[in-house]
């Protein structure tokens, strides 16, 4: 049975009650103060405290839900994972600190890693003893990821890595980075790339924070100057890095996106309240935009639920491109609507800096860029689903 607003099976309903009960019992005391904290534009907020909360969740078995039990996960079904994310967002629990390890690298190692790599890294992802960052984008390789020029070669039993990554989220907090590097000299495009696991704590790795529109620094430039990692820390075959990198992207677009939409719903509800409080709700144009936002969010939810099974298969298909286009535009529009409702007040800050609406407005400018820009998603749909001629490539 599909999940969503249809009748839930008894086991799913019991699972929902268990999650809801656990969150109510545990999001108390010091943890209660963390409600709603963190997330894009606010990753720096209460990071250490949110790590403690994540560890608490982990100890109780509420992290790595979709991982198989033999790898330390909960072996939860897709519908249980959806339910967990929905309840988590509904409880306004803090934003998770370990997204990269738990949702991206963990599933990648389970699917493609050796048993030594799994034994070495999965337990520390689960306990949050090691945080990860994603070393894909470079100054000349963003949308065109296959243009990666960071290079790596084997010497004296180690990979030697040289090059620059950019926009590397949370690299300043991570102990490890999964890096796409060119390991066949002279190779071009998708060929000759490898997926390496590189420790960040070494003198040959330099992390330089980049300041965002929000004034905070959540992403970074990362420079590898003959940095080292062990020869065995390549995921998949040497030269097969493109396939592994695409596998990671497939996991990135999985179940967690539904929890994100419950968060969007909470933002919309709060904006409706703000419009009522400020009187903006009497403006027909504002009413129209709020109503449209409500309807479009229902459409996104229906699309994601309908296509979840193909997305969780681990290969990004055109369904996830449709979803990305819809939610990125929706969220960016919500930020703009928030500013319209705030009116002139929205243009000034007090000594505490940006408020939640200003931060939403500024950070959502990034939504149509990261995880594949709008233009790239449209290209994917045009070529793979509509069968339009491939765009000219150099
Ligand atoms: C908040 C945020 C967090 C990020 N975190 C990470 C991270 O942790 N790790 C990581 O590796 N990367 C990360 N990124 C990088 C992100 O993946 C890239 O920004 C994205 O892939 C776009 O690449 P680019 O910035 O180089 O832009 P470009 O690729 O240079 O694109 C510039 C513009 O040209 C358009 N364009 C490019 N090619 C085409 C084409 N063929 N057809 C039509 N239009 C085109 C794009 O749509 C865009 O509008 C992050 C980005 C952001 C904003």
């Amino acid at each position: 049975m599909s999940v969503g607003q249809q009748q839930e099976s008894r086991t799913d309903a019991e699972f929902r009650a268990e999650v809801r009960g656990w969150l109510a019992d545990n999001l108390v005391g010091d943890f209660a103060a963390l409600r709603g904290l963190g997330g894009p534009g606010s990753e720096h907020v209460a990071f250490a405290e949110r790590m403690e909360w994540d560890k608490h969740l982990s100890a109780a078995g509420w992290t790595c839900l979709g991982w198989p039990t033999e790898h330390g996960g909960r072996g939860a079904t897709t519908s249980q994972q959806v339910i967990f994310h929905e309840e988590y967002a509904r409880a306004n629990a803090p934003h998770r600190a370990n997204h990269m390890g738990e949702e991206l690298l963990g599933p990648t190692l389970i699917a493609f890693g050796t048993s030594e790599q799994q034994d070495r890294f999965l337990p520390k992802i689960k306990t949050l003893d090691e945080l990860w960052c994603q070393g894909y984008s470079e100054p000349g390789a963003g949308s065109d990821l296959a243009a990666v020029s960071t290079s790596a070669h084997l010497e004296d039993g180690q990979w030697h890595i040289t090059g620059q990554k950019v926009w590397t989220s949370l690299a300043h907090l991570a102990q490890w980075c999964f890096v796409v590097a060119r390991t066949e000299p002279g190779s071009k495009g998708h060929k000759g790339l490898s997926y390496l696991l590189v420790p960040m704590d070494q003198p040959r790795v330099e992390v330089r924070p980049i300041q965002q529109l929000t004034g905070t620094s959540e992403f970074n430039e990362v420079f590898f100057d003959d940095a080292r990692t062990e020869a065995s820390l390549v995921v998949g075959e040497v030269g097969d890095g493109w396939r592994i990198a695409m596998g990671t992207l497939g996991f990135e677009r999985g179940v967690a996106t539904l929890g994100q939409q419950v968060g969007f719903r909470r933002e919309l509800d709060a904006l409706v309240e703000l419009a009522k409080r400020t009187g903006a709700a009497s403006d027909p144009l504002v009413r129209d935009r709020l109503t449209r936002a409500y309807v479009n969010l229902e459409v996104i939810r229906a699309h994601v639920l309908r296509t979840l099974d193909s997305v969780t298969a681990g290969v990004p298909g055109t369904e996830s491109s449709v979803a990305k286009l819809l939610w990125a535009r929706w969220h960016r529009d919500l930020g703009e609507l928030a500013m319209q409702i705030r009116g002139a007040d929205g243009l000034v800050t007090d000594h505490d800096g940006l408020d939640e609406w200003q931060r939403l407005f500024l950070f959502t400018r990034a939504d149509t860029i990261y995880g594949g820009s709008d233009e790239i998603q449209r290209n994917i749909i045009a070529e793979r689903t509509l069968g339009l001629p491939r765009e000219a490539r150099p």
Side-chain angles (χ1 to χ4, degrees):
M1 189 181 83
S2 72
V3 287
Q5 282 162 339
Q6 295 96 329
Q7 184 94 46
E8 245 168 34
S9 73
R10 220 177 69 199
T11 37
D12 279 353
E14 282 166 9
F15 183 78
R16 188 182 290 281
E18 188 187 347
V19 176
R20 196 174 287 189
W22 190 88
L23 287 169
D25 291 345
N26 286 271
L27 210 45
V28 293
D30 289 346
F31 290 141
L34 303 179
R35 280 179 198 264
L37 296 187
S42 305
E43 289 292 0
H44 61 290
V45 177
F47 191 81
E49 293 83 352
R50 288 192 291 121
M51 284 279 284
E52 285 311 309
W53 164 249
D54 265 20
K55 288 181 183 177
H56 185 68
L57 277 173
S58 171
W62 290 114
T63 58
C64 310
L65 292 194
W67 294 13
T69 47
E70 65 267 29
H71 290 303
R74 200 180 178 101
T77 62
T78 303
S79 62
Q80 287 176 334
Q81 293 176 63
V82 170
I83 288 167
F84 179 82
H85 284 293
E86 288 182 345
E87 290 301 322
Y88 192 87
R90 205 162 270 138
N92 203 14
H95 284 262
R96 305 286 300 283
N98 193 20
H99 168 70
M100 296 281 183
E102 185 177 333
E103 312 272 6
L104 273 59
L105 186 71
T108 304
L109 288 180
I110 291 168
F112 305 108
T114 61
S115 51
E116 289 76 23
Q117 290 167 352
Q118 292 166 349
D119 292 346
R120 176 160 173 190
F121 292 113
L122 293 179
K124 289 192 173 174
I125 292 175
K126 177 145 197 256
T127 54
L128 286 98
D129 286 316
E130 289 175 347
L131 297 179
W132 287 80
C133 60
Q134 179 180 28
Y136 280 24
S137 305
E138 297 182 0
S143 301
D144 185 12
L145 181 61
V148 156
S149 66
T150 291
S151 65
H153 68 276
L154 273 175
E155 190 181 318
D156 303 330
Q158 288 191 312
W159 288 105
H160 290 231
I161 304 132
T162 298
Q164 182 195 344
K165 297 292 174 181
V166 72
W167 320 124
T168 320
S169 298
L170 306 182
H172 56 298
L173 298 168
Q175 285 79 37
W176 287 84
C177 185
F178 44 99
V179 173
V180 178
R182 196 161 290 287
T183 47
E184 266 176 43
S187 62
K188 292 252 180 304
H190 306 172
K191 302 210 173 94
L193 298 172
S194 297
Y195 191 105
L196 304 177
L197 308 175
V198 183
M200 297 292 281
D201 186 15
Q202 55 174 309
R204 296 180 171 97
V205 174
E206 188 189 348
V207 176
R208 293 188 202 157
I210 302 172
Q211 199 180 52
Q212 300 158 186
L213 274 177
T214 48
T216 54
S217 296
E218 286 158 18
F219 51 30
N220 306 269
E221 294 177 290
V222 179
F223 295 86
F224 299 100
D225 181 12
D226 199 24
R228 311 290 164 86
T229 197
E230 289 168 30
S232 61
L233 295 187
V234 54
V235 183
E237 298 297 319
V238 173
D240 198 23
W242 184 258
R243 189 171 68 92
I244 314 297
M246 291 303 105
T248 305
L249 288 186
F251 297 121
E252 187 171 11
R253 294 168 190 170
V255 178
T257 54
L258 270 177
Q260 173 200 43
Q261 278 154 48
V262 183
F264 288 176
R265 181 61 194 271
R266 241 191 7 254
E267 288 172 349
L268 176 59
D269 289 346
L271 193 58
V272 169
E273 286 311 310
L274 181 73
K276 287 181 189 163
R277 235 183 11 256
T278 58
S282 311
D283 178 339
L285 293 179
V286 170
R287 295 161 71 89
D288 183 59
R289 288 184 70 180
L290 284 171
T291 311
R292 277 172 200 265
Y294 173 81
V295 171
N296 288 337
L297 192 54
E298 290 293 304
V299 171
I300 296 171
R301 181 185 154 82
H303 170 78
V304 173
L305 281 173
R306 193 169 55 82
T307 57
L308 200 57
D309 285 342
S310 57
V311 175
T312 47
V315 184
T318 51
E319 306 87 1
S320 62
S321 291
V322 173
K324 171 78 206 321
L325 268 176
L326 289 173
W327 77 249
R329 193 49 71 97
W330 185 92
H331 205 210
R332 201 183 72 178
D333 287 352
L334 190 79
E336 290 177 4
L337 180 55
M339 284 300 100
Q340 184 180 350
I341 290 172
R342 290 287 314 277
D345 265 3
L347 298 175
V348 289
T349 56
D350 61 20
H351 57 271
D352 290 332
L354 300 173
D355 67 28
E356 60 178 317
W357 299 115
Q358 292 166 328
R359 198 173 303 113
L360 179 82
F361 169 64
L362 291 174
F363 201 88
T364 51
R365 311 312 291 178
D367 285 341
T368 54
I369 302 171
Y370 68 83
S373 70
D374 276 15
E375 289 77 13
I376 293 305
Q377 307 300 347
R378 283 196 211 98
N379 280 348
I380 292 172
I381 294 166
E383 294 177 13
R384 292 200 209 147
T385 302
L386 302 180
L388 302 185
R390 280 168 68 81
E391 69 160 345
R393 287 178 168 79

